[in-house]
Amino acid sequence: MDAEKLLKAQQLKVTPQRKAILTVLQNSDAVLSAQDIFAEVIKILPGINFSTVYRNLDVLLAKGILCRITPDSGGVLYELRMKEGHHHHVICKRCGTSMPLEYCPMEDIETKLAERGFTPTEHRFEIYGYCQKCSEGGE
Amino acid sequence: MDAEKLLKAQQLKVTPQRKAILTVLQNSDAVLSAQDIFAEVIKILPGINFSTVYRNLDVLLAKGILCRITPDSGGVLYELRMKEGHHHHVICKRCGTSMPLEYCPMEDIETKLAERGFTPTEHRFEIYGYCQKCSEGGE
DNA sequence: AATGCAAATGCAAATCTTTTGCAAATGGAG
DNA sequence: CTCCATTTGCAAAAGATTTGCATTTGCATT
């Protein structure tokens, strides 16, 4: 995946900072916090600022280049969007690896909500646990 | 619902601070942030401290007296647990009212996860939108 | 290749939320 | 009533994220 193409496709300027952020996310199959990302990006681009990372995460998220995940344990995690369109995630609590999920529970429940007069606009479905690799090694 | 009974049932000491926190949550059918709760509790119990509220929210959560909800918009919200056992939530983005949901998507997906070797330990399913009352008044 | 400007960045400070250490206070079992 | 583990208040620290502003930079257009 080409960082420049990704950015241009969204009418975003191609800056070294953005390329570094995308590189970090590409090289990780785990979901990362803003701080994690900053810690990695600064290795590539010493001198980059926190605020630049935060601002760009917001921009990339708004443009749909990233997904945001918010575990129960708190915090906000990001990952490169690997799948087009709406989807949910399965996340390993040990290694942080995230997999897209080809299933959305909303279909099953839409009529039930309609009966209650509730109009859904967003929803979230996230599954945490241990991936195959991390299960094998014991808990 | 009796705050004292709730606390005693969980081997927690009955303190004015805890009773005040529970009272606030009982009188609200919306989900509240720690700050919201503090702002209300201090009206009942002037002099109560932030840290007391935070600590007690953690305790009450651990004991299963509260539910924690983390909207995409960020932040952490709490509500009195209205339903025994595992369940999910439907939350109105305007008035914050929360309703328990008698449906869990995990059943539908467990085998699919097993095929991938993933062992789920926790999951979250939250639906945001507008409740009947708030839909009527227009967006 | 040079120009112009909106967009992006760095920096520093501010804000907001949550946590922690510790001494004093207190609930409740015996 | 006494005692002790639990809980609280306080103050400070820690952590995460945001903001204002001057400067720089990408890039579309000369």
Side-chain angles (χ1 to χ4, degrees):
Chain A
M1 186 172 290
D2 182 0
E4 292 204 17
K5 276 186 194 161
L6 260 181
L7 292 169
K8 284 185 177 164
Q10 300 298 328
Q11 298 88 237
L12 292 173
K13 290 192 177 176
V14 178
T15 67
Q17 292 83 351
R18 285 176 180 166
K19 287 203 285 188
I21 291 170
L22 290 175
T23 299
V24 165
L25 287 164
Q26 275 169 24
N27 293 342
S28 166
D29 44 19
V31 287
L32 301 174
S33 70
Q35 304 281 339
D36 292 338
I37 294 169
F38 176 74
E40 287 303 313
V41 165
I42 204 168
K43 292 179 191 168
I44 303 177
L45 216 66
I48 191 175
N49 195 270
F50 261 127
S51 54
T52 301
V53 173
Y54 276 106
R55 277 189 287 230
N56 278 316
L57 290 176
D58 282 348
V59 169
L60 296 173
L61 189 70
K63 290 292 189 176
I65 296 176
L66 305 185
C67 290
R68 168 194 263 170
I69 290 161
T70 59
D72 246 342
S73 51
V76 181
L77 306 175
Y78 299 87
E79 68 169 352
L80 259 193
R81 179 181 283 265
M82 306 303 280
K83 192 183 167 194
E84 287 304 313
H86 173 78
H87 62 283
H88 301 292
H89 295 92
V90 180
I91 299 131
C92 177
K93 289 199 296 180
R94 183 193 267 182
C95 66
T97 297
S98 158
M99 302 180 276
L101 188 63
E102 57 287 354
Y103 168 78
C104 176
M106 279 309 281
E107 305 156 16
D108 300 341
I109 207 182
E110 221 122 38
T111 57
K112 204 174 291 186
L113 290 175
E115 284 166 16
R116 293 204 213 175
F118 192 90
T119 310
T121 58
E122 295 122 39
H123 63 280
R124 130 182 331 168
F125 181 38
E126 289 164 10
I127 301 174
Y128 298 88
Y130 296 97
C131 68
Q132 185 146 42
K133 196 180 296 180
C134 290
S135 306
E136 284 164 5
E139 156 91 11
Chain B
M1 187 173 287
D2 182 2
E4 294 204 16
K5 276 186 196 163
L6 261 181
L7 293 169
K8 284 185 178 166
Q10 301 298 328
Q11 297 89 238
L12 292 173
K13 288 193 177 177
V14 178
T15 68
Q17 292 84 350
R18 286 175 178 165
K19 287 202 286 187
I21 291 169
L22 290 174
T23 299
V24 165
L25 287 164
Q26 275 169 24
N27 294 341
S28 166
D29 43 18
V31 287
L32 301 173
S33 70
Q35 303 283 338
D36 292 338
I37 293 168
F38 175 75
E40 287 302 313
V41 165
I42 205 169
K43 292 179 190 168
I44 302 176
L45 216 65
I48 191 176
N49 194 271
F50 263 128
S51 55
T52 303
V53 173
Y54 277 104
R55 277 188 286 231
N56 279 315
L57 290 176
D58 282 349
V59 169
L60 296 173
L61 189 70
K63 290 292 189 177
I65 296 176
L66 304 186
C67 291
R68 167 195 263 170
I69 291 161
T70 59
D72 247 341
S73 50
V76 182
L77 305 176
Y78 299 88
E79 69 170 351
L80 259 192
R81 182 180 281 265
M82 305 302 280
K83 192 183 168 193
E84 286 305 312
H86 173 77
H87 62 284
H88 301 292
H89 295 94
V90 181
I91 301 131
C92 178
K93 290 198 296 180
R94 184 193 265 180
C95 67
T97 298
S98 157
M99 301 180 277
L101 189 63
E102 58 286 355
Y103 169 78
C104 176
M106 279 307 281
E107 305 156 16
D108 299 341
I109 207 182
E110 221 123 39
T111 57
K112 203 174 294 185
L113 290 174
E115 283 166 19
R116 292 204 213 175
F118 192 91
T119 310
T121 57
E122 295 123 37
H123 63 278
R124 133 182 331 169
F125 181 39
E126 289 164 11
I127 301 174
Y128 298 88
Y130 296 98
C131 68
Q132 184 147 42
K133 198 179 291 179
C134 291
S135 307
E136 283 165 4
E139 158 95 7

